[in-house]
């Protein structure tokens, strides 16, 4: 395991404030010594279980298997085919009741950078929806009833009952505002 204490840099913002930063000294980038951050056997088991979940059509099986890896899975959660929770730190994911994780969506709880890696929880609120192909970065909280459009990159928190889209994902304007511009 990496023994260096977490530290902070000048990165700021709600998401970044919730990340734990781990320095990785040495001549290589932070991905090179990953086995010191997480035991390779644990990552291999996580990968195999997540691979089964990605191809299984059974929502009950997916929820049960993912909860065995440490994902907090609420009642009635639906994981689309090919959706991928974080392979290194699945225990940092919480998906609340009746949320939907769309086809090929990815929930990341880590980011490997040059001189450090960062970890952070991802929380998907009750009845929230993550669209197909969307990517959620570590430290992000998606509020209850929020919607993330397909193929969006969620780099900031999404307030409850808000729809976001794009790269990076930003709130969509209301229908009234769109009508007034036409």
């Amino acid at each position: 395991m990496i023994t260096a204490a977490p530290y902070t840099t000048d990165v700021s913002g709600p998401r970044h404030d919730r990340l734990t930063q781990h320095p990785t000294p040495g001549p290589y980038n932070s991905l090179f010594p990953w086995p010191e951050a997480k035991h390779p056997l644990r990552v291999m088991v996580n990968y195999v279980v997540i691979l089964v979940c990605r191809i299984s059509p059974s929502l009950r099986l997916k929820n049960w298997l993912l909860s065995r890896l440490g994902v907090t899975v609420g009642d009635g959660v639906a994981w689309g085919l090919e959706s991928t929770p974080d392979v290194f730190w699945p225990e940092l994911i919480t998906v609340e009741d009746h949320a939907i994780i769309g086809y090929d969506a990815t929930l990341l709880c880590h980011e490997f950078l040059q001189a450090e890696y960062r970890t952070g929880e991802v929380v998907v609120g009750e009845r929230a929806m993550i669209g197909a192909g969307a990517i959620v970065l570590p430290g992000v909280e998606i509020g209850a009833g929020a919607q993330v459009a397909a193929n969006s990159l969620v780099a900031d928190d999404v307030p409850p009952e808000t729809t976001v889209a794009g790269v990076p994902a930003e709130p969509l304007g209301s229908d009234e505002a769109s009508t007034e511009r036409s």
Side-chain angles (χ1 to χ4, degrees):
M1 290 289 177
I2 293 177
T3 57
Y7 70 101
T8 57
T9 62
D10 60 356
V11 176
S12 63
R15 174 177 90 87
H16 289 96
D17 292 345
R18 291 189 293 268
L19 296 179
T20 302
Q21 299 170 320
H22 309 270
T24 53
Y28 302 110
N29 65 53
S30 66
L31 185 56
F32 192 82
W34 75 262
E36 297 173 31
K38 199 73 167 187
H39 195 283
L41 185 57
R42 169 61 8 205
V43 174
M44 288 172 27
V45 168
N46 289 354
Y47 181 81
V48 169
V49 171
I50 289 170
L51 184 61
V52 169
C53 290
R54 285 175 49 94
I55 62 174
S56 172
S58 171
L59 298 178
R60 286 184 184 170
L61 177 62
K62 288 179 189 192
N63 288 339
W64 184 81
L65 286 171
L66 292 173
S67 69
R68 301 288 78 75
L69 294 183
V71 176
T72 301
V73 181
D75 291 332
V77 170
W79 297 84
L81 286 172
E82 302 291 332
S83 60
T84 307
D86 192 278
V87 172
F88 283 86
W89 285 276
E91 66 275 10
L92 296 178
I93 297 173
T94 299
V95 182
E96 296 178 357
D97 297 349
H98 309 290
I100 298 171
I101 311 300
Y103 176 85
D104 200 32
T106 303
L107 306 180
L108 292 173
C109 296
H110 74 279
E111 47 194 17
F112 287 107
L113 306 170
Q114 288 299 323
E116 69 181 17
Y117 71 93
R118 300 174 185 164
T119 57
E121 293 184 35
V122 168
V123 178
V124 179
E126 186 174 349
R127 301 191 73 78
M129 189 216 57
I130 311 297
I135 299 172
V136 178
L137 296 181
V140 167
E141 294 182 5
I142 297 172
Q147 297 180 17
V148 175
N151 293 315
S152 295
L153 174 65
V154 186
D156 292 308
D157 293 347
V158 180
E161 303 296 333
T162 301
T163 300
V164 297
V167 179
E170 295 181 355
L172 295 180
S174 69
D175 289 339
E176 292 172 12
S178 297
T179 304
E180 290 174 10
R181 282 185 256 144
S182 300

